[in-house]
Amino acid sequence: MKVTEEEVRLAGQIRSIVIRPAGDGQWPGVLFYTDIFQLTESTLRTARRLASAGFLVCVPEIYPRRLDGVVLEFDDAGKQAGLDAAAATTTAQFDADRQIALDYLAQRADVTRIQAVGFCLGGHLAFRAAFDPRVEATVCFYPTGLHDGALGADDPATLAGASSVRGRLMVIFGSRDPHVPAPARATTIRALYDAGLDDLELHIYRGGEHAFMRDIGARHDPVLTDLALTEAVSFLKERA
């Protein structure tokens, strides 16, 4: 399915790329959170693949106050800049930006329902998006910081609020992810089950490293990427 894309400013503030199937129609809207490097071509390629499966995908910058219009490189300097921006962003600011993005999707006439996905730190943000009752389904790809409260400038206590999630939830990890090793995964899963989210869908891909879906660099695993995207699309479409 061909897609079209445009750059918009959510509430005049947050630079975002909106990608949707070409032509007229209505589609499920997906709030798509990037990793710490913001709107890289690698991330946008993944967003285009999702849109081509029949979704309207909104990809906002996650650091609009500090790195407006900045696309970070996949190198040490880029990583540090992303981490520094995260460390300077409060949970309240992340949540306020989420509200703006969800309001934007909710007011679009071509959006039928709202879902969320996210990668790495963005996977954590996607989980927080699931706190909003408008979000019907969420996929978190190798989310970081859920187990230890690491997100930004303060402790978001995300897992403490897990019982407020009402939509469907999928969480995807790689078994060789040093940022979310087995003990961290166990802590997260146990907390989700304790919060009553025992109907979540969980995938732990054997051999998958952190950011195994990023199609640049040695961590990329094309087979696992295709498997994860296929499972995510199927989940978001309720196995239609």
Side-chain angles (χ1 to χ4, degrees):
M1 185 182 296
K2 292 183 178 180
V3 299
T4 64
E5 59 188 271
E6 62 177 328
E7 181 175 319
V8 300
R9 287 270 174 176
L10 306 184
Q13 304 170 42
I14 304 172
R15 177 176 175 259
S16 307
I17 304 297
V18 176
I19 310 170
R20 62 172 179 82
D24 297 329
Q26 291 183 306
W27 307 275
V30 175
L31 174 55
F32 184 112
Y33 281 113
T34 73
D35 58 21
I36 64 171
F37 299 94
Q38 300 216 104
L39 304 182
T40 63
E41 272 300 311
S42 176
T43 286
L44 292 177
R45 282 192 289 272
T46 302
R48 292 178 191 120
R49 289 187 65 180
L50 186 59
S52 73
F55 299 91
L56 185 149
V57 181
C58 178
V59 192
E61 291 184 334
I62 57 176
Y63 307 127
R65 295 168 185 81
R66 292 163 182 87
L67 294 175
D68 179 31
V70 177
V71 178
L72 298 174
E73 297 292 333
F74 295 126
D75 57 19
D76 289 343
K79 178 181 178 181
Q80 192 59 55
L83 293 174
D84 289 346
T89 303
T90 66
T91 302
Q93 289 171 331
F94 280 128
D95 288 350
D97 293 345
R98 176 188 76 224
Q99 185 73 31
I100 289 171
L102 292 176
D103 287 349
Y104 169 79
L105 287 172
Q107 60 84 33
R108 286 190 62 121
D110 53 358
V111 168
T112 57
R113 60 185 184 274
I114 300 176
Q115 302 167 325
V117 304
F119 300 77
C120 187
L121 180 143
H124 191 147
L125 294 176
F127 189 94
R128 293 188 67 80
F131 293 167
D132 191 300
R134 294 174 293 183
V135 177
E136 297 184 11
T138 301
V139 180
C140 303
F141 295 91
Y142 34 84
T144 56
L146 288 176
H147 67 288
D148 60 3
L151 179 63
D154 49 12
D155 185 346
T158 298
L159 286 182
S163 61
S164 66
V165 174
R166 293 291 176 266
R168 296 178 297 114
L169 177 65
M170 172 186 279
V171 184
I172 294 173
F173 292 114
S175 68
R176 296 181 182 173
D177 187 338
H179 300 289
V180 194
R185 297 194 299 269
T187 296
T188 297
I189 295 163
R190 188 179 304 112
L192 296 180
Y193 276 34
D194 289 346
L197 302 182
D198 54 359
D199 195 35
L200 67 89
E201 185 156 333
L202 177 66
H203 296 264
I204 302 176
Y205 286 107
R206 182 173 180 270
E209 299 184 49
H210 188 68
F212 67 80
M213 298 177 70
R214 184 193 303 154
D215 63 1
I216 294 175
R219 300 180 192 175
H220 179 49
D221 189 316
V223 172
L224 294 187
T225 296
D226 287 348
L227 286 172
L229 278 175
T230 298
E231 291 291 353
V233 168
S234 175
F235 178 80
L236 293 172
K237 290 188 171 183
E238 300 186 76
R239 313 303 187 197

